Amino acid sequence: MTFDHKSFALLSEALQSLDQGFDHLPDISTTHDIDKLRDALLSAAERMRDNYPYHHPLYIGQMLKPPHPVARLAYALAMWINPNNHALDGGRASSAMEKEAVAQIAKMFGWETHLGHLCGGGTIANFEALWVGRELRPGKAIAASAQAHYTHSRLSAVLGVPFRKIAVDALGRMDISVLEKELARGEIGTVVATLGTTAAGTVDPLHEILALRKKYDFRVHVDAAYGGYFILADNLSAETRQAFDQIGEADSIVIDPHKHGLQPYGCGCVLFRDPSAGRFYQHNSPYTYFTSSELHLGEISLECSRPGASAVALWTTLRMLPLEKGGEFARGLEAGREAAIMLYDAFKHDERFAPLFPPELDIVTWAVRARMASESSALARKIFEAAAQRDLHLALASFPKIMLESCAPVSHWDVEEITCLRACVMKPEHREWMPKILNRLRSAVEL
Ligand SMILES: Cc1ncc(COP(=O)(O)O)c(C=O)c1O
């Protein structure tokens, strides 16, 4: 068995407890035909077999981490109510739970006051932060590194704001000298610092970006959709730690509980340091907001209907796994980092591979040594396929020459980019599984 079945019985117990809150109401009997339900559900189970095994430690491909059992169960429990966190009218308890959970995330970054809420994911969360940035610096451009998530340039286009792509250095971090040249032109209103880039898990030098604020007027938005929780890890390099230690100085932060926060999809989070950013969200809604004069989350978010179940899942997870340094949750992130370092060390001593640079978080990227750049890419694709045949699921990512020159995987650059292999070792179990992962990888390479 590869799924956790044991915790499932708890759902029935929790559902009975939830039911007791409504037992003063007249009974409503269910009219569902159980046989039809079974048929439909078993068809879905069968269809869902057609997936990569995201939940298994042999899956080290994309940024996919199974939700914690408590998150899964709490989400399912909330489905019997199906609250809508747009307004207290639609999700009273779950709105309160969202405010509490979001405050805990803000506190993790050192913010005692903030404005923030959950949303569909990193894209929507970044959208809100960039939108507020536009309102506060009208007519100015948004700058992000060439390794920033692709949605930043797209969101800038949606917002009608010019976008400036800032070159990266050999370590895949924003090149600060290039950024400064752009800032000196006086056209940039918001700089996006990515703490944990999607492809390589690199961390922009936030401390250096913040230092530039003394000379130039711009907002700093931290896209920590992937990396944010690593602020709790005790095994970051000194340089990476320096960036994480300054997150609280940013104007806005995005973090995705559905990436490293053990949550089901549909759970992003945007935070603003200055709660007065809420004024940009102001609107009238004559058909909601009437049950309470307290803050309804729809008054401070762009989306209208939102799943209260996401907040219930996050709140319940935080109750079990608080966001503490040295706690169980932090240890899980540290285990992933250790796994990444093990993988990097193995490649460093293998003459067939050229790891790009030591991992800053838990993503490892490596090229296959060859004479020509195009040959290296072809070999990477071959290994990717051969590994998948051995149930080891990797990812591929293309990197520009600048990020590959120091590991020198090829002697001839017939193309300007190389397709490399990439592993996201996000699951705490990856540390123990590393010898097995390496065995399968070696066998794939020896094909
Ligand atoms: C750094 C970063 N920002 C933003 C996003 C977009 O997040 P989502 O896919 O949740 O919309 C991602 C997704 O991988 C990401 O890695």
Side-chain angles (χ1 to χ4, degrees), residues 356-372:
L356 272 67
F357 30 67
E360 287 201 77
L361 302 177
D362 57 3
I363 300 179
V364 186
T365 48
W366 69 104
V368 185
R369 290 198 186 280
R371 203 174 70 82
M372 310 273 271

Side-chain angles (χ1 to χ4, degrees), residues 63 120-126 147-152 194-199 223-227 254 256 258-259 265 267-268 422:
M63 294 173 164
T123 304
I124 296 297
N126 279 319
Q147 286 292 309
H149 197 260
Y150 74 91
T151 45
H152 287 289
T194 307
L195 269 60
T197 56
T198 317
D223 180 357
Y226 184 73
V254 158
D256 269 354
H258 73 197
K259 289 192 172 58
Y265 279 113
C267 194
R422 167 172 170 264

